Structures are given as structure tokens and as C-alpha cells.
Amino acid sequence: MLAAARALTTPLLPDDYIELMNPMWTTRELRGEIVDIRPETEDTSTIVIRPSAKWLGHWPGQYLRIGVEIDGRRHWRAYSLTSDPNHPDGLISVTVKHVPEGKLSPYFTRKAEIGTMVFLGGVEGEFRLPYPRPEKLLFISAGSGITPVWAMLRDLAESGALGDAKHVHCCTGPDDFIFGETLRALCEGTDGYDLSEHHSKDESDHFTTDHLEQLVPDWRERETFLSGPPAMIDAFKEHWEEEGDPDRLHLERFQPVIGGEGAKAVGEGGTVRFRVTEVEGECDGKTPILECGENAGAKLPFGCRMGICHTCVGKLEHGQVRDLRTGEVHGEGGQMIRTCVNAPEGHVEIAL
Amino acid sequence: MTGAPADMENPLHRLTDEQIDEIGKEFQAIHDEVYEDLGERDAVYIRSIIQFHRRLAALSRVVLMASRYKPAWVLGTAGLSTAKIIENMEIGHNVMHGQWDWMNDPYIHSSTWDWDTASPASAWKHSHNYVHHTFTNVVGKDHDVGYEIMRVDPSQKWYPHYLLQPFYNVLLMAFFEWGVAVHDLDFEAIRTGKKPKSQVKDELKEIGRKARRQIVKDYIAFPALSGPKGWKATLAANFTANIVRNVWSNAIIFCGHFPDQAYTFTEEEGADDRPGAWYVRQLIGAANIDGGPFFHFMSGNLSFQVEHHLYPDLPSSRYQEIAPRVKDICERYGLPYNTGPFRRQWGSVQRTLVRLAFPGGKPRKKAPPYEAPAPAVEGNGGAPDGNGRATTERVLASFP
Ligand SMILES: Cc1cc2nc3c(=O)[nH]c(=O)nc-3n(C[C@H](O)[C@H](O)[C@H](O)COP(=O)(O)OP(=O)(O)OC[C@H]3O[C@@H](n4cnc5c(N)ncnc54)[C@H](O)[C@@H]3O)c2cc1C
Ligand code: FES
Ligand SMILES: [Zn+2]
């Protein structure tokens, strides 16, 4: 049936015509309607969304790419899912903190209205709880970095798997603590969950690894989940590398860096041929295809350079690629791949 | 292959280094300003055109189910021809150029778009977007100069097979889409081994797949929907629509670079990679066609070939607005702004194709530096400009 319809609509898809009737009927891309906007703190709101198709679930801690059209341009950002993966009505939510100079966060916190349509990208992210659940846990969060941690804590609490969990949250003051009330109540009523708040207005009294030594002396024995600003993550990562077991430290960066100096090579790398612009480049296992093409002189499209916006996509014509964020090798002919987060695995040809 | 000496009349050789630099900056400034200004109204424009095309195509196909009745055949064929022209020109060519990539809409994007014609998207993007738009009119490098089978410029060497050019030109008009599909394979690159065998194989497969789909759609599936009594009429209608689209797109595209006024360049001239020199080559290597808004729309705004070549990545709907600023640069630097009515541009192309079928031939006279029309005398409602094109406002105001 579908094949027959395609024969008639080629090179377009039946969907292209169905969409003419109602944009929410399209099946090729997931869209969503904002059904509620809940203020959490002064500058943070939870956006509740009804997806246009059945929600297939996610792991607590994972994030969703959300696209919004502003003045004709579609922008994408990643937001950690703060909803229950098994929400009875199939709703999902993200919790957004206002970034004053930002493009999208002010849209969500100030402009968006109930009924607004947004685009939903894939669920992604390696920041999630391992199975079986670790006995001893440590969560360190700062500011809006609480969102994925909140999702994990709620999941643990609901399944009675908190075990022995310590949580340190950093923010500017008691009122600035997103989900603070709920978490404080959880701490009151649950033996296994111990919450400490660290309030600091500026850099001089930020939470440091010294504070950690005092507050959680047994941090080395804990599976740790850390989500906060770049400087904090870098400092703690170094501490774990020097004095702990870096494999037991799980990180979520809201402003990630892909490839580059600090990255360790996961694959062999390979060669890339850009078919449209006739450029050929060579990549080691930690250099994204985008960078490799630019180094070889190709003018390639890009946006965020961290796998969020899909501006850099090109059609994979030949070969396979390795996702630099997960290490996974993937790709089949004709697939659209993001050049900014994939390195070639052997020889690759791309229609860019 | 080039042999011919550079044309010293070519404005490229008249401009000083400083002028070339300034021209480069001025053209770039227009680009950046317009690009910065793109927004909601542009997005609304392309979406409504795409929607209009899809409605028109669907409607025409439905009407053609009754194609065994004459009026339905005529109406359906006219609708389908129009839809195919819009889809190929104002939508397909321009989307695949990346003119709408700034919207970051994955379904109106050069990386995903495919069009209703024989040529597969990726090969076309290479031969058109990259080769033709980078080396525009550089004889020996731009394979669109005569499409490797025609002699359109006297500096191309003559071979006896060009004697047949006036005949196969007619065939090419009718079956232009297939000509383009084969041309995109880039025989030069295959011969010299620049294109790896694996890629040639992929592209052949892709052409085969695309051709099969196109043929199944227009010559099997839709005729079948018209039933045993109507299939022949629908098949004829679809065939006709494809021919109409082919002849029209061939005419517009040939008028873009082969009229007398357009300059061609030697490889040395083409090697000058200063931005200003590139802009000047784009400017004088292309030619516009005068016309009203409907004509520009139906030609995918390739009637603004000059603006398209200066700014292939800016939305076509902006070309008309940019034109006066381009003319202004032309006037200040004494550069020609090539344009003319359709009949004249097309006529000069056809004459060239016949003349150059035979050996020899001299370059035709080029256009003089552009001069703005005398300012409008008060009370006459604004005179048409020097090239006979009335201002946009006037044309629009003339609509009922
Ligand atoms: C995996 C992942 C999960 C995320 N989860 C959440 C979440 O749950 N909640 C949430 O609010 N945000 C989250 N973010 C951040 C979010 O994607 C956006 O980056 C953030 O909302 C800012 O977007 P913007 O368009 O407002 O700012 P932009 O227009 O992108 O940036 C404007 C300026 O702000 C700076 N900036 C960017 N991000 C931040 C930031 N987070 N803090 C301070 N300054 C910044 C930029 O450097 C730039 O100078 C997440 C990011 C990632 C990568
Ligand atoms: S996904 Fe944003 S540049 Fe690659
Ligand atoms: Zn073009």
C-alpha cells in the first residue's frame, strides 16, 4: 500500500501530501504541542509537551533535542528530560533555565505559550544509571544541571532503589534550587537519600573538591553522577583522574566539546571523500569528519558542532562512521549523518 | 582545449587591482546584508510555493484521471506542466542550491531534497552547484559551456560532429532532463580517473533507480489509475507535460549563459581567485531575461541569472530586490549588466548554435557599460529603465 503510494508521489513521500491537511499528521518527524508551562524558580520553567506520536520512552538522565522556529529559522537545543518515562498520558517535559543572552531558553521561559508547536529530535545521552543499580551513589549537581539528576533520583525513589545515595547541589540560594522543595521533602522522608545544599554567589566560595573530601569522605567508593558548569566538571574530572577511578565518574555537560585536544581516540579513523566539493581528507580516530573536511579546505555547513542542531548533516554514500560521543560504529548507505560528532571508520564518502 | 587568446576588451582586464578589491567588498556586503535579513517572510514564501505546487500537482493528477475527455486532458496537462516547471525551477533548483538551508528545515534542505526530473540530486549538485557555479563560463573547466556536446563559444575547437548540432539541439530541448542526468555523470572526470570507479558505479545505479521511479510514475502508475479506457490519454498527457517542462527549462537555462552579451573566460582568467574577480566573472558571464513577475516566477527567477550567479546561496525570491543594487555597482565601475527580452536572448542563442556548427565564428559584440535610465519625469508614472524593464512596483501595479 505504502509502496504503491510512493510510486505515485516520488520523489516526494505520501507524507508530503498528507501534511497539507494537518501538520500534526506527519509521521516522518516527531512534533509536539506545549500543553503546560510551570514556573519552578524565578528564572526556570518546566515545559510540558504532548508528542505527536506515542512516546517510546527514555532512560532517566537522557536528553531530548527540541527544535523551535524563530523568525523563519529552526534552532535546536538539548534539554534533559525531567518527565517520568512512563507518564500515564504520554506527556514529556523539560526544565529550562533562562540564559539572558540566549536564543532558545528565553523563548521557553518568556515567549512560548500553551499550544505552541515544537519539533522533537531523538532521545540521546549516555548519562544514565547502570544496571544493576550501584549500592552507593553520589550525585553532584549545580544550577540547571540538576535536571538529569532529578530524573534519576525520582526513578530511584519510585523503584525503591535509592540504596545509599548522597547528593550535593550547588546554587546561589535556597530559592534558586530547581526542584528544591520536592528533593528536600524526599530527604526528610527517605533514609537512603542524603541531600546537602551548597549556596554560593560567586567563584570565591564555589563547591570544590576540598569541600567534597569533608562532606563525602568515601566518595571513591561511590558511583558518581556529576552535572554542572564546564569549570566545575573539569576540576572534578581531574580530581577523579588523579585520586579516584575515572570510570566511576559519569558526566553531563550542557556545553560539550566534541573531539579536539583532550579527546581520546576510540577508533582507527580513516579517509573521507566529499563528493560534491571534490575534497579528500584524512582523519584520526578522534577528529570529527567536519573538522577533517575543513582542514582539507572544504567549506562545510555547521551550527553547534556538538551534535545538537543537525546543520552539518550529509548523506553517507559509502562506508561507516564512529560516533565520537558513544564510540559506536554505525551508518549505512543513504543515511544522513552528523559530521560534527562522527569520525570515519575506514574509507567514507559523503555527499557534501 | 582553450587555445584562443584572452579577450582584452573583457572588463576584467580594464579594472585596476584596487577596483577589483572594492568590487569584491561591495558585492560581499550586499550578500551579507541580505543574508542577515532573511527571516519569517522568506520562510513563508517558500513554504507557500511548495504547498501551492503540491496542491496543483495533486489536482492535475486527479483531473487527468478523466483525461479521455478532451477538456480534462487539456486542463490536466496544462496544470501538470506548470507544476513540474515550478517544482524544477523555483523550488528544486533553488532548494538544492542551499538557498533555503538557512531555515534549518530538514525537509526544505539541499542535503535531502530530490526533484521531479531524471537527474539524481547528488550528481547534479556536484556538476551544477560546484563545477558550473565555481568555474562559470571558463572554457575547458565549466562543462556547462555547451554541455560537452555543443559548440556555443567560438573559442571552443571545432569538430565535424558539431555540424549536427542544430539537429541534436532540438532533441536536447525535448529530452533535456535526460541530457542533464547523463551530463551530471561528468565524463571528463571519469575519463581522467578523477572520479573513483566506486562513485561512478553508485551514480549509475542512482540514475537507474531514479529513472525507473520517474518512468513508473508518469508512464505506468498514473496511466493505470485512468483505467483501460483512459490510460493512453493520461500517458500522452504526462509525456506532454514532461516535454513542455523540458523545452521551457532548456530555453531559460540556455538564455542564462549563451546569449551574445555573456563573456566566456580562458583558464588563466578563471584562475584569478580574488573574490572581486570571481564576482566580475559571475556578473558578465551571465545574462538576464526581462519580464514580469509571473515570468520570473515560472523561470525559477533564473531570469535573474546574473543575481543568481553572484549569490547562488541567497533565496531566489530576493534577486529582484537585489538587482537595482547590482546595477548600481555596474554603473559605478563601468561594467555591463546583461539583460534583454526573452525573444532576443533566446534568438541569439539559437543563432549562435547554428553558426558555430560550422568552423570559425567570431565573438559577438558585448553589451556596453550599464547606464541607469534618465530619472522619471514627474507625472508620467516612472519611465521604464534603459533595458526596457519597468520597475517592480510598476509591473505589480499593472496587475488587476
Ligand atoms: C546534553 C545537554 C542537556 C541539557 N539540558 C538542559 C536542561 O535540562 N535545562 C537547561 O536549562 N539547559 C540544558 N542544556 C543547555 C541548553 O541546551 C542550552 O544550551 C541553553 O538553554 C542555552 O541555550 P540558548 O539558546 O538560550 O543560548 P545560546 O543562544 O545557545 O547561547 C547564548 C550564550 O549563553 C551561553 N550559554 C549557553 N548555554 C549556557 C548555559 N547552560 N549556562 C550559561 N550560559 C550558557 C553561550 O555560551 C552563549 O554565549 C543542556 C545542554 C546539553 C548539551
Ligand atoms: S549537529 Fe550541530 S553542527 Fe553538527
Ligand atoms: Zn544554479
Side-chain angles (χ1 to χ4, degrees):
Chain A
M1 175 66 200
L2 198 66
R6 274 205 65 167
L8 298 176
T9 59
T10 185
L12 297 174
L13 297 174
D15 241 24
D16 289 312
Y17 290 95
I18 291 169
E19 202 188 27
L20 291 178
M21 293 178 262
N22 182 341
M24 291 303 243
W25 288 351
T26 180
T27 54
R28 66 179 172 193
E29 78 181 337
L30 195 57
R31 299 179 182 181
E33 185 191 342
I34 297 182
V35 292
D36 195 13
I37 300 175
R38 278 201 306 266
E40 299 286 350
T41 65
E42 187 106 309
D43 62 356
T44 305
S45 302
T46 292
I47 315 290
V48 185
I49 298 166
R50 180 190 308 285
S52 61
K54 186 174 163 8
W55 188 246
L56 296 177
H58 61 269
W59 298 105
Q62 286 194 302
Y63 62 88
L64 170 69
R65 298 188 315 110
I66 300 192
V68 173
E69 236 155 50
I70 301 175
D71 198 19
R73 283 183 166 83
R74 194 178 302 184
H75 302 269
W76 290 92
R77 297 289 185 274
Y79 291 100
S80 306
L81 283 151
T82 51
S83 49
D84 180 346
N86 308 306
H87 189 284
D89 297 329
L91 301 180
I92 54 168
S93 73
V94 294
T95 302
V96 182
K97 186 183 169 87
H98 187 86
V99 175
E101 302 292 296
K103 186 107 203 165
L104 245 67
S105 61
Y107 179 86
F108 283 119
T109 53
R110 304 274 188 268
K111 278 236 187 72
E113 291 168 4
I114 290 176
T116 302
M117 192 190 74
V118 294
F119 300 90
L120 306 179
V123 169
E124 294 179 341
E126 300 297 299
F127 191 63
R128 55 194 219 207
L129 293 160
Y131 271 108
R133 299 286 190 228
E135 272 295 298
K136 297 179 103 184
L137 288 155
L138 168 60
F139 296 96
I140 308 173
S141 54
S144 57
I146 183 67
T147 49
V149 168
W150 150 262
M152 291 179 182
L153 285 172
R154 187 187 44 204
D155 184 55
L156 290 169
E158 277 174 5
S159 55
L162 271 168
D164 168 9
K166 291 219 184 293
H167 180 192
V168 186
H169 180 72
C170 316
C171 52
T172 58
D175 293 339
D176 183 40
F177 187 176
I178 306 165
F179 304 126
E181 250 173 73
T182 322
L183 288 174
R184 285 177 198 128
L186 182 67
C187 178
E188 295 273 298
T190 318
D191 281 342
Y193 174 59
D194 177 37
L195 170 69
S196 324
E197 292 179 46
H198 182 97
H199 299 148
S200 65
K201 291 264 183 246
D202 54 63
E203 255 171 64
S204 60
D205 54 356
H206 272 355
F207 187 71
T208 62
T209 49
D210 292 339
H211 290 120
L212 180 70
E213 288 290 355
Q214 287 175 5
L215 203 62
V216 192
D218 64 348
W219 61 269
R220 285 181 190 77
E221 295 157 29
R222 294 175 179 271
E223 200 76 20
T224 301
F225 294 83
L226 168 59
S227 165
M232 179 181 187
I233 291 193
D234 292 342
F236 279 76
K237 186 163 170 258
E238 205 182 303
H239 193 59
W240 253 255
E241 274 159 6
E242 279 164 10
E243 307 203 5
D245 177 2
D247 286 344
R248 299 189 66 183
L249 178 66
H250 308 266
L251 301 170
E252 185 68 311
R253 289 178 190 267
F254 284 6
Q255 288 142 290
V257 267
I258 308 293
E261 287 300 304
K264 56 178 196 284
V266 273
E268 293 292 307
T271 47
V272 187
R273 180 180 154 80
F274 297 89
R275 283 190 175 178
V276 174
T277 43
E278 282 188 337
V279 169
E280 290 194 38
E282 213 165 310
C283 264
D284 59 21
K286 61 182 178 190
T287 309
I289 293 171
L290 173 63
E291 218 174 294
C292 144
E294 287 172 339
N295 292 342
K299 229 187 117 213
L300 300 169
F302 67 87
C304 65
R305 304 184 81 97
M306 61 191 199
I308 310 287
C309 68
H310 284 223
T311 308
C312 62
V313 292
K315 195 195 271 171
L316 185 65
E317 301 273 15
H318 178 93
Q320 284 211 308
V321 296
R322 188 185 286 274
D323 190 320
L324 289 170
R325 300 163 307 168
T326 60
E328 194 188 321
V329 175
H330 67 108
E332 48 193 84
Q335 193 184 327
M336 304 301 293
I337 57 146
R338 281 165 277 180
T339 58
C340 70
V341 289
N342 284 296
E345 191 71 4
H347 181 66
V348 161
E349 307 212 349
I350 231 173
L352 271 176
Chain B
M1 182 161 177
T2 54
D7 170 10
M8 292 325 266
E9 296 288 296
N10 188 321
L12 264 182
H13 302 291
R14 225 182 354 81
L15 296 163
T16 65
D17 288 351
E18 291 78 43
Q19 281 177 315
I20 293 266
D21 283 348
E22 280 167 34
I23 288 175
K25 286 197 189 107
E26 288 208 35
F27 275 124
Q28 190 59 38
I30 297 178
H31 175 276
D32 296 347
E33 193 184 306
V34 175
Y35 192 82
E36 195 52 38
D37 186 51
L38 297 176
E40 190 69 28
R41 79 166 156 123
D42 303 277
V44 167
Y45 172 79
I46 190 65
R47 293 208 168 113
S48 39
I49 298 302
I50 288 174
Q51 220 175 59
F52 173 71
H53 158 255
R54 286 176 190 171
R55 296 212 164 113
L56 181 62
L59 193 71
S60 308
R61 298 285 193 186
V62 170
V63 170
L64 281 176
M65 282 183 188
S67 61
R68 62 198 152 118
Y69 305 106
K70 200 77 192 228
W73 192 93
V74 173
L75 195 68
T77 308
L80 189 60
S81 308
T82 311
K84 279 181 182 266
I85 285 171
I86 296 172
E87 197 270 355
N88 279 191
M89 303 187 78
E90 182 65 342
I91 304 176
H93 167 265
N94 295 335
V95 171
M96 282 158 60
H97 251 294
Q99 293 181 4
W100 302 97
D101 285 4
W102 60 272
M103 290 176 20
N104 207 12
D105 180 333
Y107 301 106
I108 309 181
H109 200 277
S110 61
S111 62
T112 54
W113 196 268
D114 198 3
W115 53 355
D116 182 14
T117 176
S119 194
S122 55
W124 181 82
K125 279 187 282 193
H126 171 74
S127 84
H128 181 86
N129 286 6
Y130 175 66
V131 178
H132 168 60
H133 274 273
T134 312
F135 308 110
T136 311
N137 281 23
V138 176
V139 179
K141 287 204 104 167
D142 177 2
H143 306 316
D144 282 17
V145 176
Y147 294 96
E148 298 182 283
I149 52 167
M150 293 203 189
R151 187 162 175 256
V152 294
D153 188 87
S155 67
Q156 285 173 283
K157 196 163 175 267
W158 182 83
Y159 295 100
H161 70 255
Y162 286 133
L163 284 171
L164 294 174
Q165 156 167 318
F167 304 101
Y168 57 71
N169 177 39
V170 176
L171 277 180
L172 183 67
M173 283 183 199
F175 299 101
F176 193 50
E177 59 174 320
W178 301 101
V180 173
V182 173
H183 168 67
D184 289 343
L185 280 172
D186 195 348
F187 291 106
E188 175 87 8
I190 297 175
R191 200 165 42 234
T192 55
K194 247 173 85 186
K195 190 183 270 198
K197 283 224 171 61
S198 63
Q199 185 173 342
V200 179
K201 224 172 84 190
D202 285 356
E203 287 182 1
L204 281 173
K205 255 199 280 181
E206 186 59 34
I207 290 189
R209 191 160 50 214
K210 187 88 199 267
R212 194 182 65 235
R213 286 194 192 144
Q214 290 293 99
I215 290 169
V216 166
K217 174 180 65 169
D218 280 340
Y219 302 128
I220 299 177
F222 275 111
L225 287 185
S226 301
K229 288 205 188 111
W231 69 270
K232 268 193 208 147
T234 300
L235 193 144
N238 295 351
F239 183 75
T240 309
N242 280 329
I243 300 280
V244 169
R245 183 269 322 274
N246 287 346
V247 170
W248 179 248
S249 53
N250 170 280
I252 295 298
I253 288 160
F254 271 52
C255 286
H257 297 290
F258 310 151
D260 295 344
Q261 309 148 331
Y263 285 88
T264 54
F265 310 100
T266 63
E267 292 201 24
E268 293 78 62
E269 286 168 336
D272 184 346
D273 58 6
R274 291 173 299 171
W278 184 84
Y279 275 119
V280 172
R281 288 199 301 273
Q282 303 304 315
L283 175 76
I284 65 179
N288 284 0
I289 314 168
D290 297 333
F294 182 67
F295 176 81
H296 292 312
F297 173 64
M298 287 306 287
S299 63
N301 278 300
L302 288 179
S303 44
F304 290 103
Q305 189 74 229
V306 169
E307 286 74 14
H308 174 54
H309 263 270
L310 291 168
Y311 307 118
D313 68 334
L314 288 181
S316 57
S317 54
R318 293 283 188 139
Y319 292 158
Q320 190 151 8
E321 284 171 39
I322 295 171
R325 305 177 66 176
V326 173
K327 287 182 190 164
D328 176 54
I329 294 181
C330 291
E331 185 166 29
R332 283 186 286 113
Y333 291 93
L335 294 166
Y337 181 86
N338 298 333
T339 189
F342 179 67
R343 240 176 322 118
R344 192 174 83 208
Q345 303 295 64
W346 192 79
S348 82
V349 172
Q350 300 309 317
R351 194 206 43 235
T352 300
L353 287 176
V354 173
R355 170 60 190 89
L356 295 183
F358 301 94
K362 279 200 293 290
R364 308 281 302 189
K365 199 167 150 340
K366 304 295 179 201
Y370 174 78
E371 264 177 55
V377 182
E378 228 174 304
N380 80 347
D385 74 21
N387 296 311
R389 179 192 292 136
T391 60
T392 320
E393 290 77 19
R394 247 172 75 91
V395 175
L396 288 173
S398 74
F399 267 64

